[in-house]
Amino acid sequence: MTEPRIRITVDGQPLQVEPALPLLTALRALGFPIPGLCHHPRTGEQGRCSLCIVEVRDRDGWRAEHACLLRCEPGLTVRTVSPHIHQLRSWAARLLLARGPFNEPAVEVMLRAVLAAAEKGDNGGQYPDAALPPLSADGTDAATPAMPPGCILCGRCIGMCTGIGKNKLAFLGRGKRLRIGYVHGPSDTGACGTCHACRGVCPTGFIRSNGQAAFSARLYRRRGVPRNNGD
Ligand code: SF4
Ligand code: FES
C-alpha cells in the first residue's frame, strides 16, 4: 500500500511528496537542481559539504538548512534560490575546490557550476566578496588542513564502512587536522582491503583501491608513529 502523500511548498509551488523523505531526495525527484556531494542513499545524512543549503520558512522568517538533513513534513515551506542561499553555497564550493584537484572531474564541474549560479544570482553587494574565504594564487586555501588533495572530508566512506559493519574508518583530529583515519579497535570487525565499498561511494575518486591503502598508507603514516596510532 502506498503511503499517503503530504503537501509541501517549494519556491511558491504546492507539491506532494512522501512523508519523512529527506528533503534533498524529494527536491531532486521533483526536478529542483540542488547540488550536494556528501549525501548518498547508502551512507546516510552527513551534512558536511554544505552545498545543499536551502531556506525553510518558520515563524521568524527564512532560515538556512541543509536539505539532506531535513525530512519532509506537512506544511514545510522551502525556497531553493535566494541571494543568501547562493552566498552560502558559493562559500562551501570555494572551500571544497581548495581541496582539489580531484580524480573525478565531475566534482569540479559541479563546484564551478555552483559558483557560476551564485554569480548570476541577485546578490548585488549584499554579501561582499571580501567576506569570502581567501584563496591563494595557487588555488589552495590558506586554511587547508595538512592532508593530500582530493578528499573533501564528506564522510561517505565512513558511513559505508560503518553501515556494512566493518568500522575501519573514522574522523580523527579536529580543526585543520580533521581527517579520515584507518583505525583498529573493539568495534573494528572484518578485514579491510577486499570489499572496496568505500571506493564505490567516494564522490571525488580519492580512494583508488581500499580504505587501508588510502588512509593508512597515504594519509597518516608518519615517520616514527605506528600506523595504527589513533591520532
Ligand atoms: S575519501 Fe572520498 S568518501 Fe571519504 S571523506 Fe574523502 S571524499 Fe569523502
Ligand atoms: S549534500 Fe547536504 S551537506 Fe552535503
Side-chain angles (χ1 to χ4, degrees):
M1 198 176 78
T2 29
E3 275 205 74
R5 292 165 76 83
I6 55 167
R7 286 178 73 110
I8 65 172
T9 305
V10 183
D11 294 342
Q13 301 175 53
L15 296 164
Q16 296 205 341
V17 295
E18 275 175 44
L21 199 62
L23 180 61
L24 178 62
T25 308
L27 291 174
R28 285 178 171 172
L30 290 165
F32 293 90
I34 311 294
L37 283 172
C38 65
H39 179 81
H40 187 284
R42 291 204 58 194
T43 60
E45 294 86 1
Q46 303 287 343
R48 289 191 163 268
C49 74
S50 292
L51 292 173
C52 68
I53 291 284
V54 294
E55 287 182 324
V56 173
R57 192 172 182 87
D58 63 18
R59 275 189 311 198
D60 301 321
W62 294 98
R63 65 169 202 277
E65 293 278 357
H66 293 87
C68 63
L69 297 180
L70 272 188
R71 299 275 167 172
C72 293
E73 56 182 49
L76 191 67
T77 301
V78 181
R79 66 183 179 193
T80 66
V81 181
S82 78
H84 194 207
I85 291 170
H86 280 315
Q87 193 63 63
L88 293 174
R89 286 185 191 164
S90 69
W91 279 344
R94 287 168 69 93
L95 287 169
L96 293 167
L97 273 172
R99 294 195 179 278
F102 306 110
N103 292 328
E104 173 50 69
V107 172
E108 183 161 344
V109 171
M110 177 193 280
L111 295 174
R112 298 223 173 266
V114 170
L115 291 178
E119 212 146 273
K120 279 194 242 143
D122 176 25
N123 56 4
Q126 199 178 346
Y127 303 97
D129 270 356
L132 291 173
L135 285 180
S136 63
D138 67 356
T140 56
D141 180 64
T144 300
M147 61 182 294
C151 168
I152 57 169
L153 292 167
C154 69
R156 279 191 188 186
C157 49
I158 297 176
M160 177 56 94
C161 193
T162 305
I164 62 173
K166 288 201 166 182
N167 293 311
K168 291 279 186 186
L169 302 177
F171 281 110
L172 300 177
R174 292 195 182 267
K176 289 182 183 180
R177 289 181 50 72
L178 179 67
R179 58 206 189 275
I180 312 287
Y182 176 75
V183 294
H184 296 265
S187 61
D188 161 10
T189 56
C192 180
T194 49
C195 74
H196 307 305
C198 54
R199 185 178 68 187
V201 294
C202 174
T204 66
F206 180 80
I207 305 171
R208 291 298 188 95
S209 53
N210 58 57
Q212 184 165 15
F215 303 118
S216 184
R218 284 184 62 190
L219 276 183
Y220 309 115
R221 191 175 180 189
R222 288 173 291 157
R223 201 170 296 190
V225 178
R227 186 184 285 195
N228 61 356
N229 184 324
D231 191 358

